[in-house]
Amino acid sequence: MTSLLSHLDDALKLARQHGADQADAVVIRGQSRSAMIRQGKAEGIRHAESLSLGLRVFHEGRVATVAGNDLTPEALSQLAERACAMAKVVPPSPDDGLASQPLIPVPASAIETLDLLDPATPPSMETLLGKAQEMEEAALSHDGITNSSGASASTSLHDVALATSAGFTGQYQRSGHGYGISVLAGASAQMQRDYAFHSAVHQADLENPVKLGHEAARRALARLNPTRPKTGLYPVLFAPRVAGSLLAHLAGAINGSAIVQEASFLKDKLNHAVFSRGITITDDPTLPRLAGSRPFDGEGTAGRPLNLVEDGQLRHWLLDSRCARKLGLPASNGRANRSGGGSVHPGTSNLLLHAGQHSPEELRHDIKEGVLITELMGSAINMLTGDYSRGGSGFMIRNGEIAEPVSGITVAGNLLDMFARLIPANDINLMMGHHAPTIRIDQMSLAGD
């Protein structure tokens, strides 16, 4: 690993020379390659390299952020000069500033235990093409699969380095690998599409590409000849591949930025019951070999697990330093996310809903008529009121069993009511990228025929 910290040190020194009171800087350097196979032919072969540096400077209660992709001393000096000039003329922002509790120094063990760098040799383009071809051939071997939208394989490596004028320095690497395929079943107006994908930090954790091809084909075939249920209230199960979207809505509603702006339906719910008892939702950046893990956040604060919801009660907002100060809280809780451009905002790392006690089969066994949602489309979420409406497709549930496919339905409700009725199954699988198990919510409004 080539150290990027010397460049950040130069940027910070130059920022101070140009008048900054404090400053921090981030560099994200990446390289990736990907290959796509469609109908047996190679398409979309790509190699990419990227580098971005974000410099944030503070001057007399004002802040400015600039970005560049040149690490030469001359370019860094120009960047620092421009940032400091901006910071002198923008409106005051007294709550902006460096993190008050940075992780100094970053222990080597904090990086090593996360196991974010795959020691295996990255796959060659030929290997990626071969894996993509295996996926597509497996899918097209099924009777009824009539076309392929393509199968792809990819690999990437990113270096992340952060330094602040308060003495924080940290750098780590993250590898990534992925497979994906989308196929069509049926013909003409009766065509149905479905997909399968998997991504992992280590190649060894990737799903077998042939298995993914078969999975995509079976899913597409199962969707043929869909019906539309009658409009009404139904118990609804959200399959793991879409259940995580409910967590994303929660994350948006408890994001410190939304709370500061009073733009969330949960703004008055801290330390109140939002979910039923027994529900725990954790944001955990310390889980080994997961894409969201990190040894420190975008401001240099230590990454620690945080139970956002505990026994059904909302316990924490997602906070960076600015939002914490705006809300009169003592410090960030380590949830600052940061782009290569240097902008900082609250966010999540690995957000997960803890598993319940029942299997998906047990969760649906008493449902006489309901719906299993396997795909969601569009989004009409009102974050001020919690009103929820999305298009969806999936399968009817009849007498506890999965029945005929359905499509063209609209699922609606209010997130406050949905959270209160949410029941998780026990089929969470973090290594498959599912950060929520199957979820059951009763009394959902479905618009169909």
Side-chain angles (χ1 to χ4, degrees):
M1 176 173 65
T2 303
S3 177
L4 297 169
L5 294 174
S6 61
H7 298 293
L8 296 183
D9 185 55
D10 291 342
L12 296 178
K13 288 178 180 177
L14 289 163
R16 296 297 292 267
Q17 290 174 15
H18 286 291
D21 302 324
Q22 295 179 314
D24 61 8
V26 61
V27 171
I28 300 177
R29 179 175 57 194
Q31 51 185 304
S32 63
R33 53 178 172 263
S34 61
M36 174 179 282
I37 292 286
R38 187 172 185 274
Q39 294 291 353
K41 297 180 180 179
E43 292 185 2
I45 294 175
R46 293 186 177 89
H47 296 266
E49 293 187 359
S50 62
L51 186 145
S52 58
L53 179 144
L55 176 64
R56 188 172 60 150
V57 302
F58 306 93
H59 177 74
E60 296 181 353
R62 293 172 167 84
V63 60
T65 302
V66 295
N69 56 12
D70 188 342
L71 300 183
T72 62
E74 297 79 9
L76 292 178
S77 181
Q78 292 173 6
L79 196 70
E81 183 178 12
R82 178 156 56 94
C84 292
M86 291 170 57
K88 293 174 182 177
V89 297
V90 297
S93 183
D95 294 308
D96 277 297
L98 300 179
S100 60
Q101 299 176 358
L103 181 63
I104 300 175
V106 178
S109 60
I111 298 174
E112 293 167 358
T113 57
L114 294 179
D115 199 11
L116 296 179
L117 181 61
D118 190 347
T121 302
S124 65
M125 186 60 73
E126 291 74 19
T127 299
L128 295 175
L129 284 166
K131 297 296 184 182
Q133 187 164 7
E134 289 177 27
M135 260 187 296
E136 186 176 67
E137 288 176 351
L140 293 176
S141 70
H142 289 249
D143 291 339
I145 296 298
T146 53
N147 207 342
S148 166
S149 299
S152 62
S154 63
T155 183
S156 65
L157 176 65
H158 286 87
D159 290 88
V160 179
L162 175 69
T164 78
S165 59
F168 173 88
T169 58
Q171 181 175 350
Y172 64 96
Q173 291 182 294
R174 182 198 309 280
S175 51
H177 308 276
Y179 298 146
I181 181 169
S182 175
V183 294
L184 295 166
S188 302
Q190 303 303 314
M191 276 189 176
Q192 293 293 325
R193 175 201 58 82
D194 216 311
Y195 63 92
F197 71 92
H198 188 218
S199 60
V201 170
H202 286 242
Q203 295 177 66
D205 296 331
L206 273 176
E207 186 60 86
N208 184 289
V210 172
K211 183 177 178 180
L212 288 175
H214 289 310
E215 182 181 342
R218 285 192 293 267
R219 286 176 172 176
L221 292 167
R223 293 177 62 160
L224 287 172
N225 304 311
T227 62
R228 295 182 71 189
K230 293 181 179 179
T231 296
L233 297 176
Y234 293 85
V236 171
L237 265 63
F238 292 84
R241 69 173 179 168
V242 296
S245 65
L246 297 175
L247 294 186
H249 299 320
L250 172 68
I254 64 173
N255 188 289
S257 295
I259 303 305
V260 166
Q261 297 168 15
E262 297 189 346
S264 168
F265 65 94
L266 293 180
K267 64 183 175 64
D268 299 319
K269 297 297 183 180
L270 192 64
N271 296 319
H272 288 73
V274 174
F275 295 81
S276 61
R277 295 193 64 178
I279 299 293
T280 297
I281 298 174
T282 302
D283 185 60
D284 191 350
T286 69
L287 297 172
R289 296 169 82 140
L290 290 187
S293 296
R294 59 197 184 197
F296 48 84
D297 76 348
E299 295 180 307
T301 301
R304 296 188 179 95
L306 185 67
N307 286 343
L308 300 169
V309 174
E310 201 163 34
D311 198 24
Q313 296 211 350
L314 177 60
R315 293 300 191 191
H316 297 279
W317 307 128
L318 297 168
L319 298 173
D320 60 9
S321 296
R322 176 180 178 275
C323 289
R325 295 184 187 111
K326 284 276 189 185
L327 295 169
L329 299 172
S332 157
N333 54 22
R335 265 61 208 172
N337 285 353
R338 193 161 193 159
S339 68
S343 61
V344 178
H345 53 87
T348 60
S349 55
N350 299 305
L351 183 63
L352 60 103
L353 169 62
H354 290 233
Q357 298 180 350
H358 302 291
S359 68
E361 293 76 18
E362 292 169 334
L363 210 59
R364 67 172 189 260
H365 83 281
D366 65 330
I367 296 178
K368 291 185 178 180
E369 187 176 47
V371 175
L372 169 66
I373 300 294
T374 59
E375 186 172 25
L376 290 166
M377 295 152 280
S379 184
I381 313 299
N382 187 324
M383 295 305 290
L384 288 172
T385 65
D387 289 339
Y388 175 98
S389 179
R390 297 195 67 180
S393 60
F395 299 87
M396 290 299 297
I397 300 172
R398 301 191 186 281
N399 298 315
E401 299 296 329
I402 306 299
E404 73 273 15
V406 293
S407 67
I409 59 178
T410 300
V411 189
N414 182 276
L415 286 169
L416 265 178
D417 298 331
M418 292 165 64
F419 290 162
R421 294 196 295 264
L422 181 152
I423 304 172
N426 63 1
D427 57 337
I428 189 169
N429 187 339
L430 294 178
M431 295 310 294
M432 283 300 295
H434 299 149
H435 287 196
T438 298
I439 287 173
R440 173 174 171 171
I441 301 176
D442 290 344
Q443 293 292 300
M444 292 287 295
S445 176
L446 261 68
D449 280 339

